[in-house]
Amino acid sequence: MQAINPNCKLPSHEILVIARSDDSGTTSMFTEALSSFSYEWNVTFGVFSAGVNRTTDSPQVWDSSIIHMLADGNFGMLGLVKSVRYSIGYMSTSTARDHSLSFAYIQNQHGEFTQPTKESVQAAMDSWATDSNLTRRLADGHLPGAYPIASYSYLIMYRTKMTQCDSAKELVRAVVLTTPSAQRDCEAKEMVPLSDKVAQRVQQEVLQTVRCQGRSTWNEMQADMEAENAAKKTWILPVAISLPIFAAIVLTLLGYIAWQRYKLVSLCCGVQFPQTITNALKFPFNLSNGHSLPDITD
């Protein structure tokens, strides 16, 4: 190991191997990669997902002579790897990065030491893009730059057994419409969007082959979307023309109201009498004592 890490000074200490005890898809993906890397591993252990025999509480397949600790679940693995020095384990990339764990670069078929990135995992996808089985694992891809330990996450749906055709159309429509945004969200969640080649195959070989009661759900969904787009055109143009006119009328009306309010305020409250005039208007007598108003006509 030191020979292939010449720039690292590795400690002289035994590496403590941690494996999953639960039945785990991560274990299945990891052991499939190990089986691809090593013929000896493949014939001795093969691919498996169960870590521990719950009856005997002993490793199901793991070689107990090399496994030092067993972790329950992804976060159990995380806790042990973080707390035990000189340990090594396996977990999802998102978990490792979210908790600032260092991880190894893995050597692929071309002798390249790769890390899990969008480009390296998509290279693994494209390694098997022409394979007849879209559900295969992506272990040990043969293209340059491919990361050798990867797998898909799946959306499972019927292709021929759905009987509610309106629901079938809406399901296909939802997948088609949400896929672009879902693909964009992948990287924020430390996942990788489908490569263009695989995405094209999913559309052609899965979505376009969905049938309900013998009819093509894809064709009916496309027809519905075309009808909706045509209907939109019948009101988009009138709205586009009338909306600016309506806005201009409203703005004119608001301006008129504001102007009338300004004039009213000016008339009612804006005229003030000088103090001398105000004093001159005060009458020099007291009406409360019975005096009458003076005759001012003389």
Side-chain angles (χ1 to χ4, degrees):
M1 185 176 291
Q2 182 66 71
I4 61 176
N5 292 277
N7 297 323
C8 297
K9 185 177 181 180
L10 300 178
S12 179
H13 196 285
E14 181 183 13
I15 296 175
L16 305 178
V17 180
I18 304 174
R20 290 276 291 269
S21 63
D22 54 317
D23 196 338
S24 163
T26 307
T27 297
S28 177
M29 178 174 62
F30 183 57
T31 55
E32 181 163 3
L34 294 178
S35 295
S36 299
F37 301 158
S38 167
Y39 173 79
E40 182 181 359
W41 175 279
N42 188 39
V43 297
T44 305
F45 303 107
V47 180
F48 59 91
S49 59
V52 166
N53 185 321
R54 295 300 181 183
T55 303
T56 62
D57 202 30
S58 60
Q60 182 89 347
V61 184
W62 293 117
D63 186 346
S64 57
S65 66
I66 61 172
I67 299 298
H68 293 81
M69 284 167 279
L70 291 167
D72 188 17
N74 203 40
F75 287 99
M77 174 70 77
L78 169 68
L80 286 177
V81 171
K82 287 192 71 172
S83 60
V84 178
R85 295 190 68 187
Y86 309 115
S87 64
I88 188 170
Y90 57 93
M91 66 189 73
S92 66
T93 304
S94 59
T95 303
R97 284 183 170 150
D98 285 347
H99 296 273
S100 302
L101 288 180
S102 57
F103 48 88
Y105 285 54
I106 308 298
Q107 190 175 32
N108 63 17
Q109 287 191 25
H110 291 266
E112 303 164 321
F113 289 92
T114 59
Q115 60 176 319
T117 63
K118 174 183 175 180
E119 293 73 22
S120 66
V121 176
Q122 286 188 339
M125 295 179 194
D126 288 342
S127 294
W128 310 108
T130 58
D131 191 88
S132 60
N133 187 1
L134 275 172
T135 60
R136 69 163 296 143
R137 294 285 174 81
L138 305 176
D140 207 19
H142 58 80
L143 290 180
Y147 187 71
I149 309 177
S151 181
Y152 291 119
S153 292
Y154 299 98
L155 170 67
I156 300 175
M157 59 184 289
Y158 287 115
R159 285 200 298 176
T160 59
K161 294 184 178 181
M162 287 186 282
T163 58
Q164 301 295 323
C165 295
D166 287 339
S167 298
K169 284 191 293 185
E170 291 307 313
L171 176 59
V172 173
R173 181 202 294 257
V175 174
V176 171
L177 295 181
T178 60
T179 294
S181 60
Q183 296 282 284
R184 288 192 296 269
D185 291 341
C186 279
E187 292 180 78
K189 296 177 172 59
E190 296 293 346
M191 301 180 75
V192 175
L194 297 177
S195 68
D196 291 340
K197 291 180 181 179
V198 175
Q200 185 177 22
R201 283 196 61 192
V202 169
Q203 177 173 311
Q204 293 175 345
E205 299 177 27
V206 180
L207 296 177
Q208 292 183 6
T209 62
V210 175
R211 304 187 71 81
C212 180
Q213 298 183 5
R215 306 194 307 269
S216 170
T217 301
W218 176 269
N219 290 343
E220 292 186 358
M221 183 269 297
Q222 290 288 98
D224 285 353
M225 293 181 70
E226 290 174 4
E228 290 169 5
N229 290 333
K232 287 179 183 178
K233 293 178 182 178
T234 62
W235 60 263
I236 287 178
L237 182 59
V239 169
I241 294 174
S242 60
L243 190 59
I245 297 174
F246 177 74
I249 293 172
V250 171
L251 290 174
T252 302
L253 181 60
L254 291 175
Y256 176 77
I257 293 172
W259 171 245
Q260 293 300 319
R261 179 179 176 81
Y262 171 76
K263 292 198 301 182
L264 181 62
V265 170
S266 298
L267 288 174
C268 295
C269 307
V271 179
Q272 297 183 358
F273 292 102
Q275 185 65 32
T276 54
I277 297 177
T278 304
N279 292 335
L281 292 176
K282 293 180 180 178
F283 295 106
F285 48 81
N286 189 347
L287 294 177
S288 62
N289 293 329
H291 296 287
S292 60
L293 289 173
D295 187 357
I296 59 174
T297 58
D298 293 338

